[in-house]
Amino acid sequence: MPPSQSPKPQLSALHPTLRAARSANSVAFALQGFFLAVILTELPQLKDKFTLSDGLIVAIVALISLLAGAGSITAERIALHWSSRTALRIGLALIAVSGVAIALSPNIIAAFVALGVYGVAVGIVDAGTNMQAVFIQHGYGRFILVSFYAAWSAGSIAGALFVSAFEALKVPLQASILVAAAVVAIGCLAAGPRLLGTDEAEAGPAEHEPAGSVPMRIFWIFGAVIALAFAIDLAVGNWSALYLKDELLSSSATAALALAAYQGASLLGRLTGDLWVRRFGPRAVVRVAAAVGSVGLVIVVTAPGPVAAILGFLVAGIGLPVIAPLCFSEAGQLTSGRELDALIARLNLFNYAGTLVGGAVVGAVADAANLRAGFAIPLAFAVVLIGCARVFHRRTDDAPAAAQPAAEPA
């Protein structure tokens, strides 16, 4: 339970500043999903351009994941010194810059450096968007955090369809990534000023009082669930296009539709996720989501062709992408103030532990055997998540008091 705090002025859920921040943070989530989908669905083309082996693809995924962890720690420092708004704007700007560098890379060494910068930017944006999301949810006083991830899914769908369309039109890889980077830059300039800054959200001196520490056992449990959830999510993002192209012999345009199907279903699940949580509670939602995801991944692993695999990714996307945002939502009820910035940034590190497993380990299995065997790993994780549902609250009225409206520093 969060510590008792002195009464502080609050922003109403109808306050223009809070509503504008919710819209702006949704744009930031969407931009992150958009550019990540572009990079992931362009992997087959990057692989061909630089003559990469599956082992080098694994190395790229591991590089991005490790440096994203460093980016998350950087976001914590920036947020504690300035605000999560500043961290998020810096992260989005870095994504745009690294996108230009990736597009213009003349060789594999330059591409690796550019992808490394992108990895740091991913970590900063992931942490910054989740910090903003938790504080905005506190302001609204009800579950809304899953809706931010719906924006991420919408952006990811747009990114996958963007690549599919550009591939169908035979647009060069360089031009495709440059256009995507420009989209991020424009979105950053438009949304950045409307995010919650310290001046708008900080409630007063009491907000800087020491917040209650989160028990390590609870921290590690939620961290493990986040790692498993993101391991599955990133396995789909990293390897779905290559699975369809290399294993099931589809075209590049069709291969990009696997991620689009997964993110399309996840968009539906995330748009309705907050409603289901309010009605049935986080525990029931997580349990059903993991079960549905398991069924979808069974279809993926046993798919005889591209159409069946796309269907499997669609089914998996209905449930699994709801789990990670609910972890941040539940964890965000455990403390407040500056301690909450630090908690979200540190929990976000488990995102990249999951990414290493979902990207690198699946890729290593694919290198040793094939991607069909590789997708058995996220299937096993989905089954484990069914049992992990018990760490969540049964009903929304079981949630800690921190879910009530509270003004927080951003």
Side-chain angles (χ1 to χ4, degrees), residues 78-120:
I78 296 172
L80 293 178
H81 194 271
W82 288 293
S83 71
S84 57
R85 176 173 65 185
T86 300
L88 185 46
R89 295 175 76 177
I90 289 172
L92 288 172
L94 272 179
I95 286 179
V97 171
S98 63
V100 173
I102 292 168
L104 301 180
S105 295
N107 52 54
I108 188 59
I109 295 176
F112 261 74
V113 172
L115 287 165
V117 175
Y118 173 64
V120 173

Side-chain angles (χ1 to χ4, degrees), residues 1-8 206-207 209-212 334-336 401:
M1 296 291 289
S4 59
Q5 297 178 1
S6 303
K8 297 181 285 288
E207 196 60 69
E209 293 174 356
L334 301 177
T335 187
S336 61

Side-chain angles (χ1 to χ4, degrees), residues 294-312:
S294 298
V295 171
L297 289 171
V298 167
I299 297 173
V300 170
V301 170
T302 59
V307 174
I310 291 171
L311 175 62

Side-chain angles (χ1 to χ4, degrees), residues 266-292:
S266 76
L267 176 60
L268 176 62
R270 286 170 169 174
L271 283 173
T272 59
D274 291 315
L275 175 63
W276 298 124
V277 171
R278 292 175 206 146
R279 184 168 183 179
F280 298 108
R283 181 179 299 182
V285 171
V286 170
R287 182 172 288 128
V288 172
V292 171

